[in-house]
Amino acid sequence: MSLLNDLISLNLSDTTEKIIAEYIWIGGSGMDLRSKARTLPGPVTDPSKLPKWNYDGSSTNQAPGDDSEVILYPQAIFKDPFRKGNNILVMCDAYTPAGEPIPTNKRFNAAKIFSHPDVVAEEPWYGIEQEYTLLQKDTKWPLGWPVGGFPGPQGPYYCGVGADKSFGRDIVDSHYKACLYAGVNISGINGEVMPGQWEFQVGPSVGISAGDQIWIARYILERITEIAGVVLSFDPKPIPGDWNGAGAHTNYSTKSMRNDGGIDVIKKAIEKLGLRHKEHIAAYGEGNERRLTGRHETADINSFSWGVANRGASIRVGRDTEKDGKGYFEDRRPASNMDPYVVTSMIAETTILRKP
């Protein structure tokens, strides 16, 4: 095993200029991440300089068997924390050979929204709080829970410390450092209310990069849990009953909201979000009705509300934003399995492009 570790840790730059690029894309379910690697002649920092590639879409539920070729377009480059050196992770989106985005390519439409002049002028910032649950591999039961049984009730686990309160911290810290190494703007981590559940935050990120960074952070976490022999779940309500669900609260601001008098812009934006509540809920993740019950720090899925410092509302405005008269707000509705390309672009579209 020590020889295997030595080989995995080989520094390629000692003997060759060639690098390994891991091309990453989203599979047919909209949540499954896929990747494969190729050798490139030298270091690359600009995604437009990377070659397109293809894969068998019939094996990812993205194309029929008799016309299975799907083309990968490189969109964003990150440093590879697993291979290190000049090796890279490449976030891609997927197209037909004719150049049409395939149905599961949600990045394409998001990029169109974020390139709209009105959106560009407002510089939308996002801070996404990605919750997730770690599961025991053989039982699919949360990490740290007795097999077939339950831990003590919620209370001591949120930001908890100790072997009876915190489960999986080695995975969480490894992910934190790996994201920083890769160039993901990860801004923090914490243990969540349900034992075995954690959260990482990414942001502030501008526009389309918010989606790219969340997907790469998810990929890195999938790889680390693979190494650790633990299953990663983004289910919005992994355990029924009196246990918190998992969300992806999305903090958002525009230049107008961040400037003096921005609180009025925030209130108008919240009003617009309320008018499109059903459309947003439909796009905010599968199974979200199991999470948005009006309990466990959520608003009921069928009603729209907002409030200052209210974690039981659809939209929360922070005390500092209220006091300063400018800042940001938090959309608490997105589920942990949401597509960040869809959620971020939809918030921008509703609040900036939709006219009253």
Side-chain angles (χ1 to χ4, degrees):
M1 287 302 291
S2 61
L3 176 59
L4 189 62
N5 288 331
D6 289 344
L7 290 170
I8 290 171
S9 302
L10 277 177
N11 185 352
L12 298 180
S13 59
D14 290 342
T15 56
T16 180
E17 290 185 2
K18 294 179 179 179
I19 68 158
I20 300 170
E22 190 79 27
Y23 279 45
I24 300 160
W25 71 97
I26 300 156
S29 74
M31 271 305 291
D32 58 315
L33 282 160
R34 310 287 180 124
S35 75
K36 60 177 183 171
R38 66 183 297 167
T39 305
L40 299 176
V44 184
T45 56
D46 181 352
S48 68
K49 300 291 196 295
L50 287 168
K52 294 173 184 174
W53 206 5
N54 64 72
Y55 68 92
D56 170 18
S58 68
S59 296
T60 62
N61 292 317
Q62 291 172 300
D66 59 355
D67 187 15
S68 64
E69 192 166 287
V70 180
I71 312 301
L72 292 171
Y73 287 32
Q75 298 292 358
I77 292 175
F78 298 84
K79 293 179 68 176
D80 187 337
F82 304 101
R83 295 188 177 107
K84 300 177 186 167
N86 292 320
N87 304 299
I88 54 176
L89 304 178
V90 184
M91 191 66 214
C92 305
D93 59 354
Y95 296 78
T96 67
E100 295 295 320
I102 66 171
T104 51
N105 179 354
K106 306 303 183 186
R107 191 186 192 279
F108 179 80
N109 280 331
K112 284 204 296 187
I113 291 168
F114 284 122
S115 62
H116 190 287
D118 293 352
V119 177
V120 172
E122 281 290 354
E123 287 183 27
W125 290 4
Y126 298 90
I128 298 174
E129 306 169 26
Q130 176 68 72
E131 295 179 337
Y132 60 93
T133 308
L134 299 174
L135 306 177
Q136 300 168 52
K137 184 178 177 183
D138 295 330
T139 61
K140 302 296 191 294
W141 202 236
L143 202 65
W145 290 37
V147 177
F150 295 88
Q154 295 184 152
Y157 310 109
Y158 171 70
C159 298
V161 179
D164 58 343
K165 305 177 196 72
S166 176
F167 312 108
R169 191 185 297 276
D170 52 346
I171 292 170
V172 175
D173 275 348
S174 298
H175 176 248
Y176 196 172
K177 289 185 175 180
C179 282
L180 287 171
Y181 178 93
V184 173
N185 192 27
I186 187 169
S187 46
I189 56 99
N190 60 268
E192 268 304 330
V193 177
M194 189 183 87
Q197 189 184 86
W198 293 82
E199 173 184 300
F200 65 88
Q201 303 95 32
V202 172
S205 309
V206 180
I208 196 71
S209 69
D212 291 336
Q213 293 198 35
I214 282 289
W215 276 116
I216 285 292
R218 286 174 173 177
Y219 173 82
I220 292 170
L221 185 55
E222 288 274 18
R223 287 282 305 274
I224 290 171
T225 53
E226 173 190 318
I227 293 165
V230 170
V231 174
L232 173 62
S233 172
F234 290 110
D235 190 301
K237 186 73 173 179
I239 305 296
D242 197 16
W243 304 98
N244 272 37
H249 301 155
T250 301
N251 299 275
Y252 170 71
S253 71
T254 62
K255 185 183 286 187
S256 298
M257 295 175 191
R258 296 187 293 269
N259 289 340
D260 289 345
I263 191 69
D264 293 328
V265 182
I266 288 171
K267 288 176 180 177
K268 287 175 184 172
I270 293 172
E271 185 179 345
K272 290 180 180 179
L273 288 170
L275 293 173
R276 295 191 75 204
H277 177 63
K278 287 185 178 178
E279 292 94 326
H280 278 256
I281 287 294
Y284 274 16
E286 289 189 24
N288 212 8
E289 71 283 350
R290 294 182 283 118
R291 168 181 162 261
L292 295 181
T293 62
R295 300 182 63 223
H296 305 110
E297 301 180 68
T298 70
D300 183 86
I301 195 168
N302 296 309
S303 60
F304 180 85
S305 60
W306 75 276
V308 175
N310 184 356
R311 283 180 161 76
S314 309
I315 305 289
R316 180 184 68 87
V317 174
R319 291 277 183 212
D320 286 345
T321 295
E322 181 191 41
K323 180 167 72 73
D324 297 340
K326 60 184 178 182
Y328 70 98
F329 64 82
E330 174 192 45
D331 191 339
R332 297 179 60 81
R333 297 171 296 172
S336 50
N337 59 359
M338 62 83 161
D339 187 322
Y341 294 134
V342 173
V343 169
T344 57
S345 62
M346 195 173 192
I347 292 173
E349 181 187 32
T350 297
T351 60
I352 300 171
L353 300 181
R354 290 264 168 171
K355 303 308 176 188

